[in-house]
Amino acid sequence: MKKRFKAAKPRLAFFDFTDCEGCQLQFANMGETLLELAKLVDIVNFREISSENGQDYNVAVIEGSITTDHDVIRIKAIREKAKIIVALGACATVGGVNGIKNRSPLELAKQRVYGNKANTIETIKTMPVHEVVKVDYIINGCPVYIPEVITVIKHILMGKPYVVPNYAVCAECKMNENVCRYEKNEDCLGPVTRAGCNSWCVNNGNKCYGCRGLVDDPASAGQKDILLKYGLKLDDILQKFTLYNDSTGVKYDKEFK
């Protein structure tokens, strides 16, 4: 069991690496819930909501992927200081859209983005936080799903581990009585994407983009059957899945081929 905070309130510090800060904005948009949270924890560093830059923290919430040597040094320093590291959002947990650059040699990726300024840019392959330091809690998604965020914070306060659901988003869709997106002639990554978001996107008329990462044991045979039934190409699905998950490597090709 993780150590429970007893006397003093946990001191939270938010840090961003390579990201859009959208997941931190989810926190900022919590409204009254954020005020209630502030009664249970001390937020000492969170530039989205405060100009304070406190460094006396024991819980570090990390948004963003690791993409430079400086990032590696910085996240290791944060890990040494923090009792708990929370990886917040797709960039921190699976690499996110930043992982797209891993599809090409770094020099080629730099040329495509920066042109004749490429030689001035220092970068490394995109990595989720857990590939560099130990992570204690994971909150998936792009952006994160606030009810899950609150659940994770409760687990931190109680000193309990949070187990990320390891079944497909499809299960949540069925519980929410959603019409399958495939039945609407759309592709959807729900059959192989890790749940925990309460099928948030599909509930609101969208489809699953796979931002929460792959379940540990995906029903690859079932996914193939879906592709055959609806006349979709495997390469097209893999291309969509790697929008968020490319930094995790080529295991998706191995899973589905």
Side-chain angles (χ1 to χ4, degrees), residues 126-144:
T126 297
M127 294 180 287
V129 176
H130 71 264
E131 288 190 9
V132 184
V133 297
K134 178 180 179 292
V135 169
D136 302 290
Y137 291 89
I138 289 176
I139 307 177
N140 290 303
C142 181
V144 289

Side-chain angles (χ1 to χ4, degrees), residues 5-56:
F5 292 93
K6 294 182 178 179
K9 293 190 292 185
R11 299 181 301 280
L12 270 66
F14 288 73
F15 299 98
D16 55 282
F17 285 75
T18 302
D19 59 83
C20 69
E21 298 189 10
C23 289
Q24 292 178 77
L25 281 175
Q26 281 289 87
F27 262 90
N29 290 333
M30 287 168 62
E32 291 185 4
T33 302
L34 181 60
L35 297 178
E36 292 299 316
L37 173 63
K39 297 177 183 178
L40 302 175
V41 303
D42 288 330
I43 301 177
V44 301
N45 191 333
F46 190 176
R47 69 185 188 133
E48 294 288 346
I49 62 174
S50 173
S51 59
E52 294 185 17
N53 188 23
Q55 296 299 313
D56 181 19

Side-chain angles (χ1 to χ4, degrees), residues 203-221:
N203 297 349
N204 289 282
N206 211 323
K207 59 185 178 181
C208 177
Y209 292 90
C211 70
R212 294 180 61 83
L214 187 72
V215 291
D216 287 346
D217 188 20
S220 54

Side-chain angles (χ1 to χ4, degrees), residues 65 89-103 126-128 130-131 140-142 189-190 192-194 208-216 237-253 256:
S65 54
C91 292
T93 59
V94 294
V97 294
N98 305 313
I100 291 174
K101 78 173 183 181
N102 290 359
R103 301 179 190 178
T126 297
M127 294 180 287
H130 71 264
E131 288 190 9
N140 290 303
C142 181
L189 297 176
V192 294
T193 299
R194 187 181 291 269
C208 177
Y209 292 90
C211 70
R212 294 180 61 83
L214 187 72
V215 291
D216 287 346
I237 293 296
L238 288 174
Q239 184 77 7
K240 293 177 186 296
F241 201 85
T242 52
L243 171 64
Y244 288 101
N245 299 275
D246 216 43
S247 66
T248 51
V250 296
K251 71 176 183 177
Y252 304 108
D253 294 283
F256 298 118

